[in-house]
Amino acid sequence: MRNHRSGFTLVELIVVTVLGALLISATLQVLITNQRTYTAQNAQIQAQQSVRAAMDILTQELRELSPEGLDIFQMSNVRMRIRASRAFGLICNDTVRGTPTFRVMKFGNWIGATDSVVVFADNQGEIQSDDRWITTVVTARDTTKACGSSQAQRLTFANASSFTTDSVSSGAEVRAFTHYVYRLFLYTDGQYYLGRRPNPGSYVPLVGPLPRDTG
């Protein structure tokens, strides 16, 4: 008897190879498309989160500004320099008149040893027209003090001549500030970002990258 051997012909092998190549190509195209879609969506999500975080910072920072209170030093279409509130306290000395050293009750953050501050000067309590804010700087502090059962610090201020007799009373507000500059700046990666920096200090990117001219 003759042995009959079965197998694939050359045409069949070519057809299978072509079909397999087409299937692999289609699968690879789907994977590439999915990867591009994921990358684009991930970039969009990160951009949205960045914008949302920046808007939260800007909203909280800018809503407290007072042009009449001289919180805005400079503002243009590309740059803004402001004074942002960072700490708050109440003077709790029993007798505080005519001195630049006070015990200040702590609310939130401590007031720093070199912070710029404003101190409310009531002057004559029955007359509103003589009220004012004394702009000064903390020159020394002691955080071991207390106002009753509350934490407090003893602060010494510059510009002693501004604290005239009867100018500041117990219960007066003390507000500490940090100066910031907002602007579009060139980051280390060669891209432009909306950034913020303390004055003086280095810029920190908030939103970006952004177009240089329309960012």
Side-chain angles (χ1 to χ4, degrees), residues 49-94:
Q49 291 176 342
S50 177
V51 170
R52 188 179 298 112
M55 289 304 299
D56 288 342
I57 294 174
L58 289 172
T59 300
Q60 295 176 8
E61 196 103 289
L62 301 182
R63 71 189 302 176
E64 297 182 359
L65 299 184
S66 170
E68 295 180 356
L70 303 179
D71 290 335
I72 300 176
F73 295 97
Q74 180 187 27
M75 186 166 61
S76 68
N77 60 338
V78 295
R79 188 175 187 270
M80 180 167 63
R81 187 162 69 92
I82 65 170
R83 180 179 67 179
S85 179
R86 281 295 173 267
F88 170 81
L90 290 177
I91 291 175
C92 59
N93 293 51
D94 296 329

Side-chain angles (χ1 to χ4, degrees), residues 26-39:
T27 304
L28 183 60
Q29 187 63 39
V30 171
L31 292 176
I32 293 174
T33 302
N34 289 341
Q35 178 65 31
R36 289 176 177 173
T37 301
Y38 170 79
T39 301

Side-chain angles (χ1 to χ4, degrees), residues 2 4 6 11 39 53-54 60 74-75 79 94 96 99 113 124 136 151 164-165 174-175 180 191 194-195 204 210-211:
R2 299 177 59 185
H4 295 281
S6 60
V11 174
T39 301
Q60 295 176 8
Q74 180 187 27
M75 186 166 61
R79 188 175 187 270
D94 296 329
V96 297
T99 173
Q124 299 184 51
T136 183
Q151 286 184 304
T164 57
T165 302
V174 179
R175 295 181 180 271
Y180 286 106
Q191 303 283 347
L194 172 63
V204 175
L210 300 171

Side-chain angles (χ1 to χ4, degrees), residues 83 99 102 116-123 131-137 157-164 167-168 173-175 177:
R83 180 179 67 179
T99 173
F102 306 93
S116 299
V117 300
V118 292
V119 182
F120 183 70
D122 189 28
N123 292 296
D131 297 347
R132 64 190 179 94
W133 289 95
I134 299 173
T135 301
T136 183
V137 176
F157 302 118
N159 306 331
S161 60
S162 299
F163 296 88
T164 57
S167 63
V168 178
E173 297 181 15
V174 179
R175 295 181 180 271
F177 295 88

Side-chain angles (χ1 to χ4, degrees), residues 86-91 104-111 150-153 174:
R86 281 295 173 267
F88 170 81
L90 290 177
I91 291 175
V104 180
M105 186 184 302
K106 176 178 178 288
F107 291 89
N109 298 326
W110 289 105
I111 296 176
S150 300
Q151 286 184 304
Q153 54 191 142
V174 179

